[in-house]
Amino acid sequence: MNLENIDVEKWLDLALEYGLNILGAIVIWVVGSWVIKKLIKGTKKVMLKQNYDESLQKFLLNLLGWILKIVLIIVVLGTVGVETTSFAAILAAAGLAIGMALQGSLGNFAGGVLIMIFKPFKIGDLIEAQGELGVVKEIEIFTTKLTGLSNREIIIPNGSLSNGNIINYTTEGTRRVDLVFGVGYDSDIKKTKDVLMGVLTAHSKVLKDPAPAVTVLELADSSVNFAVRPWCKTEYYWDVYFDITEQVKEALDAAGIEIPYPHQVEIHKNA
């Protein structure tokens, strides 16, 4: 290699130009990384003050961190002279393709974020949604898990859950038990109401306020039907439901009040 043929001035200019660019890129990376950490730390404090769900905090902070790092990388590449227009276009196209492929998942993610922000229910609540009834076991980014009444695990996509009707039985703390009992037409209405009300007031888990109610619901084909409406704490719903059903039968039998049941009548024609 002939050193006399080397254009020293040209190489010095190139070294100075790119050296300054590289140095500037290093400074931008260091300062940018510090700013990103501060932004994420500040965002985390705001989320803690607003009582954001822990899983939502982690996801949003990670998402914010990746977005800021990608922006920082593009700025650094532009500083050292790399053409970033095509690079940004490739990222946008890739993002669009991923978004189209994961459209359903993104809808579930958005639904999960809405649930975590607006909190229509929390872990431990008894809810009814999407035709399912169960206790909320876990709220994840894409799905919500319920424990059904027969100890089934029910997994509902958050997109469907956030866009449908949700009945939360736990929010108010109390729940009305709706029962219907029929007695024969020969039965005395006042006596029947007293017997039914006696069962309700004697049960330890039936609340006095709101007060239980017993009313005539309808005059059916073969029975007079009574609406029996006790109130209880949400967690005692099924205890009260099954106890009252059993105790009403026993109390009506003891009082000599008939509970009608279907009869089959056979008609014989003479030959």
Side-chain angles (χ1 to χ4, degrees), residues 86-107:
S86 58
F87 183 72
I90 292 172
L91 282 179
L96 179 61
I98 293 172
M100 293 294 289
L102 300 177
Q103 188 172 6
S105 297
L106 291 175

Side-chain angles (χ1 to χ4, degrees), residues 146-163:
L146 310 180
T147 300
L149 300 179
S150 58
N151 208 32
R152 298 174 300 145
E153 182 178 70
I154 304 168
I155 301 176
I156 304 177
N158 285 335
S160 303
L161 190 58
S162 63
N163 289 322

Side-chain angles (χ1 to χ4, degrees), residues 170-259:
T170 304
T171 304
E172 299 300 325
T174 59
R175 188 177 175 187
R176 192 180 74 180
V177 183
D178 294 341
L179 298 166
V180 177
F181 298 101
V183 300
Y185 270 92
D186 293 335
S187 303
D188 182 87
I189 288 181
K190 185 178 184 308
K191 180 181 178 181
T192 302
K193 290 178 71 172
D194 290 342
V195 170
L196 294 174
M197 185 60 75
V199 172
L200 300 184
T201 55
H203 198 288
S204 60
K205 293 178 180 177
V206 172
L207 298 175
K208 292 181 173 55
D209 185 20
V214 176
T215 57
V216 176
L217 178 64
E218 63 176 342
L219 303 178
D221 292 339
S222 59
S223 65
V224 178
N225 292 336
F226 288 81
V228 178
R229 303 289 186 259
W231 288 80
C232 64
K233 291 185 178 180
T234 303
E235 59 267 30
Y236 297 144
Y237 177 87
W238 291 111
D239 292 340
V240 171
Y241 183 96
F242 292 122
D243 286 352
I244 296 299
T245 299
E246 179 180 343
Q247 291 170 16
V248 162
K249 173 65 167 66
E250 294 173 347
L252 291 176
D253 287 346
I257 299 174
E258 177 192 5
I259 299 177

Side-chain angles (χ1 to χ4, degrees), residues 48-82:
L48 288 173
K49 288 182 180 179
Q50 297 295 326
N51 294 320
Y52 275 55
D53 184 86
E54 185 177 352
S55 56
L56 178 61
Q57 286 184 39
K58 291 179 180 178
F59 185 86
L60 291 180
L61 290 174
N62 287 334
L63 182 63
L64 177 63
W66 278 108
I67 291 174
L68 293 176
K69 285 177 182 177
I70 290 173
V71 172
L72 179 60
I73 289 172
I74 293 175
V75 172
V76 169
L77 290 175
T79 303
V80 296
V82 176

